[in-house]
Amino acid sequence: MSFEGSTLVDWNAYAKARSELGAGFVRILGYFREDGVKSVAQIEGAMRAKSAAQLVIPAHTLKGESRQFGAEPLAALAEQIENIARDCVETRDTPDEALELVVKLRPLFNDTLQLLEREANPLAERRPAAGFGRRPTTFGRAG
């Protein structure tokens, strides 16, 4: 699975969420940031404590919220962590096999969030459409 910028977000799912949430989109994206930061920290803490039970809820939360914004690679990683944790709870084992995934989680969350927020920012740099009614910009001489 590639985690390069263009593949971190399913932009069709993102556009659908933006359309459905309307004016509340930016506020809900802010909640995703807050909840995601907390979930990632809880997952890391649970991993340090070797507690499979403490991994389940924050991984599940991060999975669902990521899918809402089209952040499929992040959702898939959270789901893998959640599934390992659930299996370990059943077998009363430590979640050691999730360690490699947990290490990848924070950078992936940060990269994904940066893309989502950049796209949602109304002040994001957008190239003006060329064409009718626009004068070409010239520097250093009168137009």
Side-chain angles (χ1 to χ4, degrees):
M1 182 182 320
S2 172
F3 290 128
E4 295 176 24
S6 63
T7 61
L8 291 180
V9 177
D10 173 347
W11 294 111
N12 291 326
Y14 175 91
K16 183 179 179 196
R18 191 168 188 160
S19 172
E20 289 174 356
L21 295 171
F25 180 82
V26 172
R27 180 175 43 86
I28 295 189
L29 184 59
Y31 295 152
F32 173 69
R33 167 188 270 285
E34 292 171 16
D35 293 347
V37 166
K38 286 179 196 169
S39 291
V40 170
Q42 289 172 336
I43 290 166
E44 290 170 341
M47 196 67 224
R48 281 190 291 280
K50 296 184 181 255
S51 173
Q54 291 176 1
L55 282 171
V56 175
I57 291 174
H60 179 79
T61 300
L62 186 60
K63 173 188 72 176
E65 291 183 357
S66 297
R67 286 219 165 99
Q68 179 180 4
F69 291 102
E72 281 304 317
L74 182 58
L77 184 59
E79 184 173 37
Q80 286 179 281
I81 293 167
E82 177 188 3
N83 289 338
I84 290 169
R86 288 184 187 281
D87 288 345
C88 289
V89 168
E90 290 289 318
T91 60
R92 297 187 177 162
D93 200 1
T94 58
D96 296 333
E97 75 176 279
L99 180 60
E100 215 174 292
L101 302 173
V102 171
V103 168
K104 294 176 183 178
L105 189 61
R106 182 174 294 274
L108 180 58
F109 173 75
N110 290 339
D111 291 348
T112 302
L113 185 63
Q114 182 180 6
L115 279 174
L116 293 171
E117 289 181 333
R118 185 181 73 202
E119 186 63 26
N121 183 350
L123 301 176
E125 181 181 322
R126 309 234 191 264
R127 292 188 176 181
F132 183 77
R134 297 206 183 260
R135 296 179 78 181
T137 304
T138 57
F139 295 100
R141 56 179 195 209

